[in-house]
Amino acid sequence: LYFSAQEGILIFYHIKDLQYEMKICADISQPISSLIFSPDYTSLLLVTDQGTIYSYKPAHSGEAVKLLDTSSSCFLAADFLTPGNNYCVSVTIAGEVQVWSLEDGTFLSKLNLGIEVHV
């Protein structure tokens, strides 16, 4: 079970029977608004409401890597663009849908919906 604390800490709980073990996986120092697993569960996106997206690979147990920072706009949400784990799609409150490369955070494309978006 992965869990995020308000302080920007990604925590993993390994639960077996009535016992559990807690491990701090990453500290990104920004409140995490959502956690999204890739379709094959090899990557985890850590999304902040400030518009920063980090990648964490559970099998490698390394640090979270900053993929992109969309803080120039009012960021609302992000998710993997399937099939695969190579691209991410994000949306701003103003209705701008953006596509990013998850390899290096390169901005690839955008579409303006022309309406405000709400969750």
Side-chain angles (χ1 to χ4, degrees):
L1 173 66
Y2 284 91
F3 174 84
S4 66
Q6 287 183 341
E7 300 83 22
I9 298 171
L10 177 66
I11 299 168
F12 173 70
Y13 285 99
H14 181 256
I15 303 168
K16 184 175 181 180
D17 299 323
L18 297 175
Q19 303 293 320
Y20 73 91
E21 214 177 297
M22 182 185 91
K23 175 186 173 191
I24 295 176
C25 300
D27 182 355
I28 62 170
S29 302
Q30 292 182 35
I32 299 169
S33 59
S34 60
L35 303 172
I36 303 113
F37 263 106
S38 62
D40 64 0
Y41 296 99
T42 59
S43 295
L44 183 63
L45 290 183
L46 312 175
V47 182
T48 72
D49 53 7
Q50 285 88 11
T52 309
I53 300 176
Y54 293 83
S55 173
Y56 178 77
K57 297 191 183 285
H60 297 117
S61 297
E63 283 295 310
V65 176
K66 184 190 278 189
L67 293 175
L68 56 105
D69 189 347
T70 61
S71 58
S72 61
S73 58
C74 296
F75 182 76
L76 189 61
D79 202 348
F80 285 91
L81 188 59
T82 56
N85 301 331
N86 300 327
Y87 303 100
C88 169
V89 63
S90 64
V91 65
T92 66
I93 293 171
E96 188 173 272
V97 178
Q98 305 157 332
V99 178
W100 308 86
S101 167
L102 290 177
E103 277 188 34
D104 58 8
T106 303
F107 172 75
L108 299 172
S109 181
K110 70 178 176 178
L111 171 68
N112 193 332
L113 301 175
I115 59 169
E116 266 192 27
V117 177
H118 301 276
V119 182

